[in-house]
DNA sequence: GAAATTTGACCAAG
DNA sequence: CTTGGTCAAATTTC
């Protein structure tokens, strides 16, 4: 594929980000071959992830822009925002195909179901959940979970209001938790991406359903250590893994989590898995560099 | 027995 | 009146 002469600004930025990621990955690879500093490794990984995250966001925004010609979606979005002004903190559509019938929609937070409703036009009922710490910590986070009609293995999750319970416990902005009873899994939750903060909220009405790359990347990096919360670099890393954005800006975002059939998030991580993940990135960036 | 879930009732918005 | 969201009593689970 030959590059277009008139490349969009967004495309240049994306490529730039990916090239940065590739460079960092190469550095990391060298560093792993001749180990010197694990801190350096971590910062490199962090940089790589940030690079890809930014590229993904740019791509998704670009696609959104292209979809503008479809008034339907925009109208719906605007209507949604108008009618739910008081609660417009965050709406995240998450599809999780885990085969565990909804109970496994574990995003690292503790939720208490407080209602269920049949939604007309939908085959499946919608469950209403609020943060378990609503009363103890005054956390107003709420989410709605509904099994997708189109794909029963997917769940659509809307997040309304962001968690304040964990923010109260930590001054850092990341939000990753690993429940004691499930130490093998990292739960990545919503987090802001700097680039997004500077964008118009309308542009954030994203639909990343068609963003296949994103889910692959998240799947690739679904590894964890139970002790990650004690390691600052891991916090940064997880920060960069955030599947959603816009905790504070009242923006709608949609994501697609995919069933983890190929890379198991439950498996203990090893250096090998890290390596294979990195090689995935290298491969990916290699492909991109050819475009 | 405490915590979580279920489910019908209630309420506000359109 | 219909619909989606929440409440709260009843029930279940641990």
């Amino acid at each position: 594929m030959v590059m277009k002469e008139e490349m969009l600004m967004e495309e240049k930025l994306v490529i730039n980000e990916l090239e940065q990621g590739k460079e960092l990955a190469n550095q990391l690879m060298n560093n792993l071959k001749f180990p010197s500093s694990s801190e350096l490794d971590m910062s490199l990984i962090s940089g790589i992830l940030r690079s890809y995250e930014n590229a993904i966001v740019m791509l998704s925004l670009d696609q959104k822009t292209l979809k503008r010609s479809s008034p339907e979606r925009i109208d719906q979005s605007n209507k949604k925002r108008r009618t739910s002004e008081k609660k417009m903190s965050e709406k995240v559509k998450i599809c999780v195909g885990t085969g565990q019938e909804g109970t496994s929609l574990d995003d690292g937070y503790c939720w208490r179901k407080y209602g269920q409703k049949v939604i007309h036009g939908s085959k499946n009922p919608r469950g209403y959940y609020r943060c378990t710490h609503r009363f103890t910590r005054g956390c107003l986070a709420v989410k709605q979970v509904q099994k997708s009609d189109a794909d029963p293995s997917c769940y659509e999750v809307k997040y309304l209001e962001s968690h304040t319970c964990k923010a109260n416990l930590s001054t850092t902005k990341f939000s990753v938790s690993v429940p004691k009873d499930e130490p093998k899994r990292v739960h990545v939750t919503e987090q802001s991406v700097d680039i997004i903060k500077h964008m118009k909220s309308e542009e954030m009405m994203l639909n990343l359903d068609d963003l296949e790359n994103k889910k692959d990347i998240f799947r690739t990096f679904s590894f964890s250590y139970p002790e990650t919360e004690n390691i600052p670099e891991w916090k940064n890393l997880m920060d960069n893994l955030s599947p959603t954005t816009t905790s504070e800006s009242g923006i709608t975002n949609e994501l697609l989590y995919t069933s983890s059939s190929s890379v198991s998030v439950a498996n203990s991580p090893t250096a090998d898995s890290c390596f294979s993940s990195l090689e995935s990135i290298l491969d990916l960036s290699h492909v991109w560099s050819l475009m």
Side-chain angles (χ1 to χ4, degrees):
Chain A
M1 178 178 173
V2 180
M3 278 193 194
K4 292 176 187 174
E5 288 183 12
E6 289 187 24
M7 189 182 294
L8 291 173
M9 189 61 180
E10 288 83 355
E11 291 175 314
K12 288 180 181 174
L13 289 171
V14 169
I15 289 171
N16 185 45
E17 281 293 339
L18 291 171
E19 283 175 345
Q20 284 182 35
K22 182 183 177 183
E23 178 58 32
L24 288 168
N26 280 325
Q27 289 180 30
L28 178 62
M29 186 68 86
N30 286 331
N31 201 47
L32 289 173
K33 283 177 184 169
F34 309 101
S36 58
S37 161
S38 61
E39 262 187 39
L40 178 58
D41 289 346
M42 292 307 171
S43 69
L44 287 171
I45 291 173
S46 182
I48 292 165
L49 292 171
R50 177 173 294 110
S51 165
Y52 280 91
E53 173 98 21
N54 288 343
I56 289 163
V57 170
M58 289 174 196
L59 261 183
S60 61
L61 288 173
D62 193 31
Q63 290 189 3
K64 178 66 188 176
T65 304
L66 292 174
K67 284 181 180 177
R68 286 242 172 133
S69 54
S70 166
E72 197 180 317
R73 180 182 294 276
I74 293 170
D75 287 347
Q76 282 179 344
S77 304
N78 288 341
K79 197 180 297 177
K80 195 79 184 180
R81 291 171 63 80
R82 268 197 299 272
T83 56
S84 58
E85 201 101 30
K86 65 172 180 180
K87 271 197 180 178
M88 59 165 192
S89 58
E90 184 168 11
K91 170 191 161 190
V92 179
K93 176 186 173 185
I94 299 175
C95 297
V96 181
T98 61
Q100 293 287 313
E101 295 303 314
T103 57
S104 60
L105 289 175
D106 192 343
D107 52 15
Y109 290 104
C110 298
W111 299 99
R112 165 78 65 88
K113 190 173 187 177
Y114 66 89
Q116 179 168 302
K117 262 309 211 198
V118 173
I119 303 302
H120 100 288
S122 299
K123 279 185 275 185
N124 303 304
R126 177 179 298 167
Y128 297 87
Y129 299 80
R130 64 183 163 219
C131 181
T132 302
H133 306 114
R134 162 164 289 208
F135 302 112
T136 55
R137 296 180 202 166
C139 180
L140 297 175
V142 166
K143 75 171 179 179
Q144 301 173 0
V145 180
Q146 186 174 8
K147 190 189 272 189
S148 169
D149 287 341
D151 184 355
S153 65
C154 286
Y155 289 84
E156 295 176 8
V157 183
K158 284 183 197 172
Y159 288 87
L160 303 130
E161 303 294 344
S162 55
H163 282 273
T164 57
C165 52
K166 299 216 170 177
N168 290 340
L169 298 176
S170 169
T171 54
T172 58
K173 71 167 193 168
F174 82 105
S175 54
V176 172
S177 69
V178 183
K180 289 170 193 155
D181 58 338
E182 246 183 292
K184 293 176 183 172
R185 184 181 300 168
V186 161
H187 304 272
V188 185
T189 56
E190 68 268 20
Q191 197 49 256
S192 297
V193 175
D194 289 342
I195 187 170
I196 289 170
K197 291 180 180 173
H198 305 297
M199 295 173 177
K200 285 186 289 186
S201 51
E202 184 188 347
E203 290 180 325
M204 297 308 303
M205 311 296 278
L206 300 178
N207 183 341
L208 302 184
D209 285 356
D210 50 357
L211 200 60
E212 296 295 319
N213 293 341
K214 184 148 190 163
K215 66 183 181 186
D216 287 338
I217 288 172
F218 285 130
R219 185 164 55 204
T220 298
F221 284 92
S222 293
F223 54 81
S224 69
Y225 288 107
E227 316 77 10
T228 53
E229 290 189 336
N230 298 324
I231 306 172
E233 285 79 10
W234 280 100
K235 292 180 181 178
N236 293 333
L237 188 151
M238 294 310 162
D239 193 19
N240 286 317
L241 275 173
S242 53
T244 67
T245 57
T246 73
S247 293
E248 309 109 87
S249 44
I251 297 166
T252 293
N253 197 358
E254 298 187 6
L255 285 181
L256 175 67
Y257 282 63
T258 182
S259 60
S260 49
S261 54
S262 57
V263 176
S264 170
V265 292
N267 283 347
S268 294
T270 63
D272 284 347
S273 69
C274 292
F275 249 116
S276 64
S277 300
L278 290 167
E279 282 169 354
S280 301
I281 286 182
L282 287 171
D283 290 341
L284 180 63
S285 59
H286 178 64
V287 169
W288 272 89
S289 67
L290 294 176
M291 293 180 73

mmCIF file of all heavy atoms in Angstrom, chain A residues 216-249:
data_model
loop_
_atom_site.group_PDB
_atom_site.id
_atom_site.type_symbol
_atom_site.label_atom_id
_atom_site.label_comp_id
_atom_site.label_asym_id
_atom_site.label_seq_id
_atom_site.Cartn_x
_atom_site.Cartn_y
_atom_site.Cartn_z
ATOM 1 N N ASP A 216 -7.645 -6.601 20.154
ATOM 2 C CA ASP A 216 -6.486 -7.461 20.080
ATOM 3 C C ASP A 216 -5.396 -6.977 20.999
ATOM 4 O O ASP A 216 -4.738 -7.757 21.668
ATOM 5 C CB ASP A 216 -5.977 -7.501 18.626
ATOM 6 C CG ASP A 216 -6.898 -8.317 17.762
ATOM 7 O OD1 ASP A 216 -7.628 -9.152 18.314
ATOM 8 O OD2 ASP A 216 -6.890 -8.104 16.563
ATOM 9 N N ILE A 217 -5.227 -5.711 21.016
ATOM 10 C CA ILE A 217 -4.181 -5.156 21.858
ATOM 11 C C ILE A 217 -4.493 -5.378 23.325
ATOM 12 O O ILE A 217 -3.653 -5.797 24.099
ATOM 13 C CB ILE A 217 -3.995 -3.658 21.555
ATOM 14 C CG1 ILE A 217 -3.314 -3.532 20.194
ATOM 15 C CG2 ILE A 217 -3.178 -2.999 22.633
ATOM 16 C CD1 ILE A 217 -3.245 -2.139 19.679
ATOM 17 N N PHE A 218 -5.730 -5.148 23.684
ATOM 18 C CA PHE A 218 -6.062 -5.369 25.079
ATOM 19 C C PHE A 218 -5.932 -6.824 25.453
ATOM 20 O O PHE A 218 -5.491 -7.165 26.519
ATOM 21 C CB PHE A 218 -7.470 -4.876 25.371
ATOM 22 C CG PHE A 218 -7.523 -3.392 25.438
ATOM 23 C CD1 PHE A 218 -8.472 -2.693 24.725
ATOM 24 C CD2 PHE A 218 -6.597 -2.701 26.194
ATOM 25 C CE1 PHE A 218 -8.510 -1.322 24.780
ATOM 26 C CE2 PHE A 218 -6.638 -1.322 26.246
ATOM 27 C CZ PHE A 218 -7.589 -0.624 25.533
ATOM 28 N N ARG A 219 -6.291 -7.661 24.549
ATOM 29 C CA ARG A 219 -6.179 -9.069 24.838
ATOM 30 C C ARG A 219 -4.711 -9.437 25.017
ATOM 31 O O ARG A 219 -4.339 -10.170 25.898
ATOM 32 C CB ARG A 219 -6.797 -9.879 23.701
ATOM 33 C CG ARG A 219 -6.822 -11.342 23.998
ATOM 34 C CD ARG A 219 -7.775 -12.031 23.063
ATOM 35 N NE ARG A 219 -7.489 -11.777 21.685
ATOM 36 C CZ ARG A 219 -8.387 -11.867 20.720
ATOM 37 N NH1 ARG A 219 -9.643 -12.145 20.989
ATOM 38 N NH2 ARG A 219 -8.056 -11.637 19.483
ATOM 39 N N THR A 220 -3.926 -8.866 24.152
ATOM 40 C CA THR A 220 -2.508 -9.162 24.221
ATOM 41 C C THR A 220 -1.929 -8.808 25.579
ATOM 42 O O THR A 220 -1.103 -9.516 26.110
ATOM 43 C CB THR A 220 -1.772 -8.355 23.136
ATOM 44 O OG1 THR A 220 -2.271 -8.769 21.882
ATOM 45 C CG2 THR A 220 -0.291 -8.607 23.199
ATOM 46 N N PHE A 221 -2.421 -7.726 26.149
ATOM 47 C CA PHE A 221 -1.829 -7.269 27.386
ATOM 48 C C PHE A 221 -2.652 -7.610 28.617
ATOM 49 O O PHE A 221 -2.546 -6.982 29.640
ATOM 50 C CB PHE A 221 -1.581 -5.763 27.309
ATOM 51 C CG PHE A 221 -0.392 -5.470 26.472
ATOM 52 C CD1 PHE A 221 -0.552 -5.223 25.115
ATOM 53 C CD2 PHE A 221 0.885 -5.509 27.009
ATOM 54 C CE1 PHE A 221 0.551 -4.960 24.322
ATOM 55 C CE2 PHE A 221 1.978 -5.250 26.219
ATOM 56 C CZ PHE A 221 1.813 -4.975 24.874
ATOM 57 N N SER A 222 -3.448 -8.604 28.481
ATOM 58 C CA SER A 222 -4.210 -9.018 29.652
ATOM 59 C C SER A 222 -3.409 -9.983 30.513
ATOM 60 O O SER A 222 -3.678 -11.154 30.590
ATOM 61 C CB SER A 222 -5.515 -9.688 29.210
ATOM 62 O OG SER A 222 -6.340 -8.758 28.609
ATOM 63 N N PHE A 223 -2.367 -9.462 31.087
ATOM 64 C CA PHE A 223 -1.612 -10.270 32.021
ATOM 65 C C PHE A 223 -1.512 -9.503 33.319
ATOM 66 O O PHE A 223 -1.841 -8.346 33.396
ATOM 67 C CB PHE A 223 -0.219 -10.576 31.479
ATOM 68 C CG PHE A 223 0.555 -9.364 31.088
ATOM 69 C CD1 PHE A 223 1.207 -8.619 32.055
ATOM 70 C CD2 PHE A 223 0.613 -8.962 29.758
ATOM 71 C CE1 PHE A 223 1.931 -7.498 31.699
ATOM 72 C CE2 PHE A 223 1.333 -7.844 29.399
ATOM 73 C CZ PHE A 223 1.994 -7.107 30.376
ATOM 74 N N SER A 224 -1.062 -10.199 34.318
ATOM 75 C CA SER A 224 -1.027 -9.508 35.597
ATOM 76 C C SER A 224 -0.143 -10.190 36.603
ATOM 77 O O SER A 224 0.246 -11.337 36.449
ATOM 78 C CB SER A 224 -2.433 -9.453 36.179
ATOM 79 O OG SER A 224 -2.823 -10.754 36.559
ATOM 80 N N TYR A 225 0.179 -9.440 37.621
ATOM 81 C CA TYR A 225 0.751 -9.994 38.821
ATOM 82 C C TYR A 225 -0.113 -9.515 39.970
ATOM 83 O O TYR A 225 -0.591 -8.399 39.956
ATOM 84 C CB TYR A 225 2.182 -9.487 39.038
ATOM 85 C CG TYR A 225 3.177 -10.078 38.082
ATOM 86 C CD1 TYR A 225 3.706 -9.298 37.062
ATOM 87 C CD2 TYR A 225 3.573 -11.391 38.196
ATOM 88 C CE1 TYR A 225 4.632 -9.824 36.183
ATOM 89 C CE2 TYR A 225 4.494 -11.915 37.308
ATOM 90 C CZ TYR A 225 5.021 -11.132 36.305
ATOM 91 O OH TYR A 225 5.930 -11.652 35.444
ATOM 92 N N PRO A 226 -0.295 -10.374 40.926
ATOM 93 C CA PRO A 226 -1.144 -9.985 42.056
ATOM 94 C C PRO A 226 -0.602 -8.771 42.782
ATOM 95 O O PRO A 226 -1.331 -8.035 43.390
ATOM 96 C CB PRO A 226 -1.103 -11.222 42.971
ATOM 97 C CG PRO A 226 -0.720 -12.353 42.067
ATOM 98 C CD PRO A 226 0.142 -11.752 40.998
ATOM 99 N N GLU A 227 0.716 -8.573 42.707
ATOM 100 C CA GLU A 227 1.306 -7.498 43.501
ATOM 101 C C GLU A 227 1.413 -6.197 42.733
ATOM 102 O O GLU A 227 2.098 -5.298 43.143
ATOM 103 C CB GLU A 227 2.713 -7.874 43.963
ATOM 104 C CG GLU A 227 2.921 -9.260 44.484
ATOM 105 C CD GLU A 227 3.012 -10.311 43.391
ATOM 106 O OE1 GLU A 227 3.107 -9.943 42.216
ATOM 107 O OE2 GLU A 227 2.969 -11.503 43.735
ATOM 108 N N THR A 228 0.757 -6.133 41.623
ATOM 109 C CA THR A 228 0.993 -4.991 40.750
ATOM 110 C C THR A 228 0.721 -3.658 41.411
ATOM 111 O O THR A 228 1.321 -2.659 41.070
ATOM 112 C CB THR A 228 0.113 -5.067 39.501
ATOM 113 O OG1 THR A 228 -1.223 -5.239 39.934
ATOM 114 C CG2 THR A 228 0.550 -6.187 38.610
ATOM 115 N N GLU A 229 -0.171 -3.659 42.370
ATOM 116 C CA GLU A 229 -0.520 -2.370 42.948
ATOM 117 C C GLU A 229 0.620 -1.772 43.745
ATOM 118 O O GLU A 229 0.597 -0.604 44.086
ATOM 119 C CB GLU A 229 -1.757 -2.515 43.831
ATOM 120 C CG GLU A 229 -2.982 -2.781 42.985
ATOM 121 C CD GLU A 229 -4.245 -2.706 43.795
ATOM 122 O OE1 GLU A 229 -4.167 -2.907 45.014
ATOM 123 O OE2 GLU A 229 -5.295 -2.446 43.225
ATOM 124 N N ASN A 230 1.614 -2.594 44.008
ATOM 125 C CA ASN A 230 2.741 -2.087 44.775
ATOM 126 C C ASN A 230 3.859 -1.573 43.880
ATOM 127 O O ASN A 230 4.866 -1.090 44.359
ATOM 128 C CB ASN A 230 3.291 -3.184 45.687
ATOM 129 C CG ASN A 230 2.249 -3.609 46.678
ATOM 130 O OD1 ASN A 230 1.465 -2.780 47.144
ATOM 131 N ND2 ASN A 230 2.232 -4.884 46.998
ATOM 132 N N ILE A 231 3.677 -1.732 42.615
ATOM 133 C CA ILE A 231 4.745 -1.355 41.701
ATOM 134 C C ILE A 231 4.293 -0.176 40.862
ATOM 135 O O ILE A 231 3.419 -0.307 40.033
ATOM 136 C CB ILE A 231 5.111 -2.527 40.772
ATOM 137 C CG1 ILE A 231 5.442 -3.756 41.630
ATOM 138 C CG2 ILE A 231 6.259 -2.153 39.871
ATOM 139 C CD1 ILE A 231 5.630 -5.019 40.824
ATOM 140 N N PRO A 232 4.899 0.969 41.090
ATOM 141 C CA PRO A 232 4.464 2.177 40.366
ATOM 142 C C PRO A 232 4.451 2.004 38.868
ATOM 143 O O PRO A 232 3.541 2.463 38.192
ATOM 144 C CB PRO A 232 5.514 3.216 40.791
ATOM 145 C CG PRO A 232 6.057 2.715 42.082
ATOM 146 C CD PRO A 232 5.996 1.215 42.023
ATOM 147 N N GLU A 233 5.466 1.346 38.347
ATOM 148 C CA GLU A 233 5.517 1.196 36.891
ATOM 149 C C GLU A 233 4.325 0.426 36.385
ATOM 150 O O GLU A 233 3.818 0.673 35.300
ATOM 151 C CB GLU A 233 6.807 0.487 36.480
ATOM 152 C CG GLU A 233 8.025 1.361 36.551
ATOM 153 C CD GLU A 233 8.535 1.493 37.975
ATOM 154 O OE1 GLU A 233 8.048 0.751 38.854
ATOM 155 O OE2 GLU A 233 9.401 2.334 38.213
ATOM 156 N N TRP A 234 3.887 -0.528 37.166
ATOM 157 C CA TRP A 234 2.724 -1.297 36.738
ATOM 158 C C TRP A 234 1.477 -0.450 36.765
ATOM 159 O O TRP A 234 0.565 -0.630 35.977
ATOM 160 C CB TRP A 234 2.554 -2.527 37.616
ATOM 161 C CG TRP A 234 3.460 -3.623 37.210
ATOM 162 C CD1 TRP A 234 4.635 -3.966 37.794
ATOM 163 C CD2 TRP A 234 3.310 -4.490 36.080
ATOM 164 N NE1 TRP A 234 5.208 -5.007 37.118
ATOM 165 C CE2 TRP A 234 4.425 -5.354 36.072
ATOM 166 C CE3 TRP A 234 2.324 -4.623 35.087
ATOM 167 C CZ2 TRP A 234 4.593 -6.332 35.105
ATOM 168 C CZ3 TRP A 234 2.497 -5.607 34.133
ATOM 169 C CH2 TRP A 234 3.629 -6.440 34.149
ATOM 170 N N LYS A 235 1.472 0.469 37.692
ATOM 171 C CA LYS A 235 0.312 1.367 37.712
ATOM 172 C C LYS A 235 0.254 2.157 36.422
ATOM 173 O O LYS A 235 -0.787 2.301 35.804
ATOM 174 C CB LYS A 235 0.422 2.315 38.907
ATOM 175 C CG LYS A 235 0.263 1.613 40.232
ATOM 176 C CD LYS A 235 0.373 2.621 41.348
ATOM 177 C CE LYS A 235 0.252 1.932 42.694
ATOM 178 N NZ LYS A 235 0.403 2.885 43.799
ATOM 179 N N ASN A 236 1.417 2.660 36.045
ATOM 180 C CA ASN A 236 1.452 3.417 34.802
ATOM 181 C C ASN A 236 1.052 2.550 33.633
ATOM 182 O O ASN A 236 0.304 2.958 32.747
ATOM 183 C CB ASN A 236 2.858 3.971 34.568
ATOM 184 C CG ASN A 236 3.221 5.017 35.590
ATOM 185 O OD1 ASN A 236 2.329 5.681 36.129
ATOM 186 N ND2 ASN A 236 4.489 5.160 35.873
ATOM 187 N N LEU A 237 1.566 1.342 33.678
ATOM 188 C CA LEU A 237 1.273 0.429 32.586
ATOM 189 C C LEU A 237 -0.224 0.177 32.488
ATOM 190 O O LEU A 237 -0.820 0.247 31.428
ATOM 191 C CB LEU A 237 2.026 -0.871 32.838
ATOM 192 C CG LEU A 237 2.024 -1.910 31.726
ATOM 193 C CD1 LEU A 237 3.305 -2.722 31.832
ATOM 194 C CD2 LEU A 237 0.835 -2.813 31.810
ATOM 195 N N MET A 238 -0.798 -0.117 33.629
ATOM 196 C CA MET A 238 -2.228 -0.399 33.621
ATOM 197 C C MET A 238 -3.022 0.836 33.254
ATOM 198 O O MET A 238 -4.061 0.755 32.642
ATOM 199 C CB MET A 238 -2.661 -0.909 34.997
ATOM 200 C CG MET A 238 -2.053 -2.250 35.324
ATOM 201 S SD MET A 238 -2.295 -3.435 33.984
ATOM 202 C CE MET A 238 -1.077 -4.647 34.381
ATOM 203 N N ASP A 239 -2.476 1.949 33.659
ATOM 204 C CA ASP A 239 -3.123 3.195 33.295
ATOM 205 C C ASP A 239 -3.259 3.286 31.796
ATOM 206 O O ASP A 239 -4.272 3.692 31.242
ATOM 207 C CB ASP A 239 -2.275 4.357 33.815
ATOM 208 C CG ASP A 239 -3.036 5.658 33.747
ATOM 209 O OD1 ASP A 239 -4.263 5.621 33.663
ATOM 210 O OD2 ASP A 239 -2.388 6.692 33.765
ATOM 211 N N ASN A 240 -2.231 2.843 31.136
ATOM 212 C CA ASN A 240 -2.243 2.908 29.686
ATOM 213 C C ASN A 240 -3.101 1.842 29.046
ATOM 214 O O ASN A 240 -3.409 1.908 27.876
ATOM 215 C CB ASN A 240 -0.812 2.782 29.169
ATOM 216 C CG ASN A 240 -0.052 4.052 29.410
ATOM 217 O OD1 ASN A 240 -0.582 5.131 29.182
ATOM 218 N ND2 ASN A 240 1.166 3.943 29.890
ATOM 219 N N LEU A 241 -3.447 0.864 29.816
ATOM 220 C CA LEU A 241 -4.274 -0.199 29.265
ATOM 221 C C LEU A 241 -5.736 0.157 29.254
ATOM 222 O O LEU A 241 -6.547 -0.559 28.713
ATOM 223 C CB LEU A 241 -4.100 -1.464 30.110
ATOM 224 C CG LEU A 241 -2.932 -2.350 29.754
ATOM 225 C CD1 LEU A 241 -2.832 -3.448 30.792
ATOM 226 C CD2 LEU A 241 -3.110 -2.932 28.386
ATOM 227 N N SER A 242 -6.049 1.243 29.861
ATOM 228 C CA SER A 242 -7.453 1.545 30.098
ATOM 229 C C SER A 242 -8.297 1.435 28.852
ATOM 230 O O SER A 242 -8.025 2.070 27.852
ATOM 231 C CB SER A 242 -7.581 2.943 30.669
ATOM 232 O OG SER A 242 -6.919 3.832 29.830
ATOM 233 N N PRO A 243 -9.312 0.616 28.925
ATOM 234 C CA PRO A 243 -10.157 0.393 27.773
ATOM 235 C C PRO A 243 -11.142 1.516 27.545
ATOM 236 O O PRO A 243 -11.654 1.685 26.468
ATOM 237 C CB PRO A 243 -10.891 -0.897 28.124
ATOM 238 C CG PRO A 243 -10.963 -0.868 29.606
ATOM 239 C CD PRO A 243 -9.699 -0.186 30.071
ATOM 240 N N THR A 244 -11.427 2.261 28.542
ATOM 241 C CA THR A 244 -12.362 3.341 28.367
ATOM 242 C C THR A 244 -11.675 4.637 28.714
ATOM 243 O O THR A 244 -10.590 4.660 29.240
ATOM 244 C CB THR A 244 -13.577 3.188 29.254
ATOM 245 O OG1 THR A 244 -13.154 3.329 30.609
ATOM 246 C CG2 THR A 244 -14.214 1.840 29.067
ATOM 247 N N THR A 245 -12.340 5.678 28.443
ATOM 248 C CA THR A 245 -11.720 6.973 28.666
ATOM 249 C C THR A 245 -12.705 7.878 29.354
ATOM 250 O O THR A 245 -13.801 7.468 29.702
ATOM 251 C CB THR A 245 -11.340 7.588 27.314
ATOM 252 O OG1 THR A 245 -12.506 7.654 26.534
ATOM 253 C CG2 THR A 245 -10.310 6.741 26.615
ATOM 254 N N THR A 246 -12.275 9.098 29.589
ATOM 255 C CA THR A 246 -13.216 10.131 29.932
ATOM 256 C C THR A 246 -13.945 9.928 31.236
ATOM 257 O O THR A 246 -15.142 10.023 31.302
ATOM 258 C CB THR A 246 -14.285 10.249 28.850
ATOM 259 O OG1 THR A 246 -15.159 9.143 28.949
ATOM 260 C CG2 THR A 246 -13.683 10.306 27.491
ATOM 261 N N SER A 247 -13.223 9.684 32.257
ATOM 262 C CA SER A 247 -13.873 9.551 33.552
ATOM 263 C C SER A 247 -14.508 10.851 33.985
ATOM 264 O O SER A 247 -15.578 10.869 34.571
ATOM 265 C CB SER A 247 -12.855 9.145 34.602
ATOM 266 O OG SER A 247 -12.405 7.851 34.336
ATOM 267 N N GLU A 248 -13.858 11.930 33.686
ATOM 268 C CA GLU A 248 -14.330 13.165 34.261
ATOM 269 C C GLU A 248 -15.112 14.039 33.298
ATOM 270 O O GLU A 248 -15.795 14.944 33.704
ATOM 271 C CB GLU A 248 -13.145 14.013 34.739
ATOM 272 C CG GLU A 248 -12.181 13.293 35.616
ATOM 273 C CD GLU A 248 -10.899 13.045 34.894
ATOM 274 O OE1 GLU A 248 -10.025 13.884 34.904
ATOM 275 O OE2 GLU A 248 -10.773 11.970 34.311
ATOM 276 N N SER A 249 -15.003 13.780 32.056
ATOM 277 C CA SER A 249 -15.484 14.779 31.124
ATOM 278 C C SER A 249 -16.902 14.554 30.632
ATOM 279 O O SER A 249 -17.371 15.259 29.771
ATOM 280 C CB SER A 249 -14.531 14.841 29.931
ATOM 281 O OG SER A 249 -14.203 13.550 29.518
#
